[in-house]
Amino acid sequence: MSAQPDGGRAGTGLARAYYIGFSLSLVLTIVPFIAVMTGALSHGAAVFCVFAAATLQMLVQLRFFLHVDGSRAMHWQFMSLLFTVFIIFLFVGGSIWIMHSLHYRM
């Protein structure tokens, strides 16, 4: 007799989420790779395909592996994620701005 009330399947939902996330990540990696390597799309369409897949890949990673969703319990994790994105934007944007300014003045 199992000590768990659900019959010993406590991690089944979590494992299923990992399998779904892994499958989606694999598809979102293979599709743009094939689109670029075969030359099936024009240059602009290929760039759009890669950026769209990268954006979807990021959302899949956040949802299925980092478990960030819209629930009330995840509010502070979401806020810290937004703060991290803001700091990265400041660092990268500020560095590009400084390099552009230095290039202009040279």
Side-chain angles (χ1 to χ4, degrees):
M1 177 119 207
S2 176
Q4 296 175 348
D6 62 352
R9 295 188 212 165
T12 307
L14 187 60
R16 184 171 185 253
Y18 284 136
Y19 290 135
I20 292 171
F22 177 72
S23 301
L24 287 173
S25 295
L26 202 59
V27 168
L28 288 170
T29 301
I30 291 172
V31 168
F33 177 78
I34 290 173
V36 170
M37 290 304 289
T38 61
L41 301 174
S42 67
H43 178 71
V47 169
F48 178 76
C49 178
V50 169
F51 278 109
T55 303
L56 289 173
Q57 178 83 263
M58 182 180 65
L59 294 174
V60 166
Q61 297 289 327
L62 286 172
R63 171 65 181 94
F64 289 102
F65 298 115
L66 296 177
H67 307 291
V68 175
D69 55 9
S71 68
R72 186 77 174 141
M74 295 291 157
H75 177 73
W76 288 111
Q77 283 187 348
F78 185 70
M79 295 304 275
S80 66
L81 179 69
L82 285 179
F83 181 70
T84 302
V85 169
F86 176 70
I87 294 297
I88 289 172
F89 176 75
L90 281 178
F91 280 140
V92 172
S95 298
I96 291 172
W97 182 11
I98 289 169
M99 288 187 289
H100 176 71
S101 177
L102 286 173
H103 178 70
Y104 178 76
R105 294 172 190 228
M106 290 290 196

